[in-house]
């Protein structure tokens, strides 16, 4: 089975683990990727669901690692491949000067990405009429696995250690939405500035489009190298149904923000996350991707993962066939436009662990 098809299948169905202790501890809840475990397949480190409803009944089983750390992948009892697991990073064994474990400040994503949710709260999360129905940002906070606000000093300390001890190559800073004005841009500015003062690490910042385009220049000046403005869904109908609060930020505002941000950060350094499987058709996703690519925006399309404890926990993940129908033509569109994940300075598109898209690019 080609690697991209195997990744699509594992990310769609999830896997059962014979040994849940293998590799870096899996993540439950939080600001994504949640209910996943990092696995390396044919040299590609990807995030695979292991705690979702679908994963519990998955036809895919990952066996206990052998002496060299490699595990067999079985599909209904037939061996179809092998995986290895990235090891626990050394920085997880440390704590900040004020006594907070580093793993509560930032975590390892994929193989070499440091990720943090600067504000683990959101103005939309506490309201059933406003919350994004796929979101689990509050779960890890409620479980005590993180802190509500990571200070710039804490982030700088952990980032420096992750680079020195574990060779982390870039960093993702996302945030819950704290207000309806800057929408998190201000806290991302102060966080990025502190990290860059401590260590030379490329940073992607992620937030909803702020109300003033001048925030993009401020983010850039603070040390942000790449920007994520995430649509999640691409049609008004699906946006209103799946994320009623966030849908109040119109598609027109997103496109105005993309148009303003690309000249600041550069072609391909502005990206957007699109979740396939929420209700948008393949045609709608590809039409949106074509428009974004024409603006110099990288559309990072990933399979929707139904997170336990959210309103969409029983919503089906997209099939491997659907993901192939999106990612195969999308990779050709990106190539024709000269947009490549390997050229992104930092962030989800460069990491690529939550989608097979970068494997199609190759």
């Amino acid at each position: 089975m080609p690697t991209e098809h195997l990744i699509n299948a594992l990310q769609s169905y999830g896997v059962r683990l014979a040994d849940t202790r293998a590799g870096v501890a899996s993540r439950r809840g939080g600001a994504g990727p949640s209910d996943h475990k990092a696995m390396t397949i044919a040299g590609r480190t990807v995030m695979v669901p292991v705690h979702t409803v679908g994963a519990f009944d998955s036809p895919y089983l990952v066996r206990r690692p052998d002496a060299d750390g490699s595990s067999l992948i079985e599909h209904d009892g037939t061996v179809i491949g092998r995986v290895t697991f990235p090891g626990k990073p050394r920085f997880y064994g440390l704590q900040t000067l004020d006594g907070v474990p580093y793993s509560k400040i930032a975590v390892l994503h994929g193989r070499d990405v440091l990720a943090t949710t600067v504000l683990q709260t959101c103005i939309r999360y506490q309201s059933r009429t406003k919350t994004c129905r796929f979101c689990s940002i509050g779960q890890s906070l409620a479980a005590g696995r993180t802190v509500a606000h990571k200070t710039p000093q804490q982030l700088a300390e952990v980032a420096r250690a992750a680079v020195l001890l574990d060779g982390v190559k870039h960093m993702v800073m996302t945030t819950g939405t704290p207000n309806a004005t800057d929408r998190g841009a201000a806290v991302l500015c102060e966080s990025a500035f502190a990290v860059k003062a401590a260590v030379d690490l490329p940073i992607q910042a992620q937030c909803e489009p702020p109300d003033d385009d001048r925030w993009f220049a401020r983010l850039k000046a603070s040390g942000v190298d790449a920007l994520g403005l995430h649509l999640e869904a691409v049609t008004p109908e699906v946006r209103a149904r799946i994320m009623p609060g966030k849908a109040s930020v119109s598609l027109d505002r997103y496109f105005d923000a993309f148009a303003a941000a690309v000249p600041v950060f550069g072609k391909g350094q502005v990206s957007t996350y699109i979740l396939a499987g929420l209700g948008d058709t393949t045609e709608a996703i590809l039409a949106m991707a074509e428009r974004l690519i024409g603006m110099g925006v990288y559309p990072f399309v990933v399979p929707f993962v139904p997170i336990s404890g959210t309103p969409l926990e029983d919503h089906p993940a997209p099939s491997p066939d659907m993901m192939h129908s999106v990612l195969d033509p999308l990779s050709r569109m990106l190539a024709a436009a000269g947009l490549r994940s390997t050229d992104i300075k930092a962030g989800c598109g460069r990491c690529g662990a939550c989608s097979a898209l970068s494997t199609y690019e190759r």
Side-chain angles (χ1 to χ4, degrees):
M1 180 184 295
T3 302
E4 62 268 26
H5 294 294
L6 177 57
I7 293 172
N8 280 338
L10 297 182
Q11 290 186 329
S12 292
Y13 294 113
V15 302
R16 292 173 290 126
L17 295 173
D19 184 359
T20 58
R21 299 168 299 175
V24 182
S26 53
R27 299 181 65 241
R28 292 178 181 267
S34 302
D35 291 8
H36 286 62
K37 197 175 189 71
M39 304 179 188
T40 301
I41 303 168
R44 289 269 292 110
T45 299
V46 295
M47 303 301 290
V48 178
V50 295
H51 296 303
T52 60
V53 172
F56 297 145
D57 296 320
S58 173
Y60 294 93
L61 171 68
V62 175
R63 288 290 182 186
R64 188 182 305 274
D66 58 23
D68 68 357
S70 177
S71 301
L72 295 174
I73 311 172
E74 295 181 359
H75 178 265
D76 289 335
T78 300
V79 175
I80 60 170
R82 283 184 173 270
V83 302
T84 57
F85 297 92
K88 179 181 177 180
R90 288 186 285 178
F91 78 86
Y92 276 21
L94 304 177
Q95 63 181 24
T96 64
L97 295 174
D98 51 354
V100 181
Y102 277 12
S103 60
K104 290 189 176 185
I105 303 300
V107 296
L108 186 72
H109 280 193
R111 179 173 52 192
D112 58 7
V113 187
L114 186 67
T116 187
T117 304
V118 180
L119 295 178
Q120 201 80 31
T121 57
C122 180
I123 57 172
R124 312 194 195 286
Y125 189 73
Q126 299 304 323
S127 170
R128 291 186 178 183
T129 61
K130 295 180 180 179
T131 186
C132 298
R133 301 184 69 219
F134 52 76
C135 183
S136 60
I137 191 173
Q139 289 184 7
S140 54
L141 180 61
R145 293 190 296 270
T146 188
V147 295
H149 182 188
K150 290 80 172 177
T151 69
Q153 294 75 22
Q154 290 172 331
L155 292 168
E157 185 181 338
V158 175
R160 186 171 186 274
V163 171
L164 295 176
L165 296 178
D166 297 285
V168 160
K169 297 294 192 296
H170 56 115
M171 185 173 187
V172 176
M173 289 183 181
T174 189
T175 180
T177 302
N179 55 53
T181 51
D182 70 76
R183 299 193 172 102
V187 74
L188 291 170
C189 283
E190 65 179 17
S191 301
F193 187 83
V195 168
K196 277 294 176 69
V199 64
D200 184 14
L201 185 64
I203 297 170
Q204 183 195 47
Q206 302 175 351
C207 62
E208 294 182 29
D211 64 343
D212 188 334
D213 289 341
R214 287 177 292 184
W215 278 109
F216 301 134
R218 294 168 186 160
L219 285 161
K220 180 71 172 176
S222 298
V224 173
D225 300 282
L227 181 67
L229 302 172
H230 294 172
L231 286 168
E232 271 87 36
V234 303
T235 56
E237 298 77 17
V238 176
R239 295 184 80 233
R241 175 169 51 86
I242 298 296
M243 41 187 188
K246 187 173 179 179
S248 65
V249 184
S250 69
L251 287 173
D252 286 342
R253 174 61 195 133
Y254 269 88
F255 280 107
D256 288 345
F258 291 138
V262 170
V264 174
F265 291 95
K267 178 182 176 182
Q269 302 305 324
V270 178
S271 61
T272 191
Y273 220 85
I274 295 173
L275 297 169
L278 289 176
D280 291 317
T281 64
T282 295
E283 294 75 18
I285 293 172
L286 290 174
M288 176 63 77
E290 183 176 26
R291 182 177 178 184
L292 293 166
I293 290 169
M295 300 178 72
V297 176
Y298 185 95
F300 186 52
V301 180
V302 307
F304 164 70
V305 175
I307 305 300
S308 301
T310 68
L312 292 185
E313 66 178 359
D314 294 319
H315 189 286
S319 70
D321 287 342
M322 180 189 180
M323 292 311 302
H324 178 71
S325 74
V326 174
L327 299 182
D328 185 47
L330 175 57
S331 66
R332 294 196 297 271
M333 292 162 59
L334 288 165
L339 293 181
R340 294 177 294 270
S341 59
T342 53
D343 292 335
I344 302 174
K345 295 176 182 178
C348 293
R350 174 177 166 179
C351 170
C354 293
S355 172
L357 177 55
S358 60
T359 306
Y360 280 88
E361 288 183 33
R362 299 175 188 179

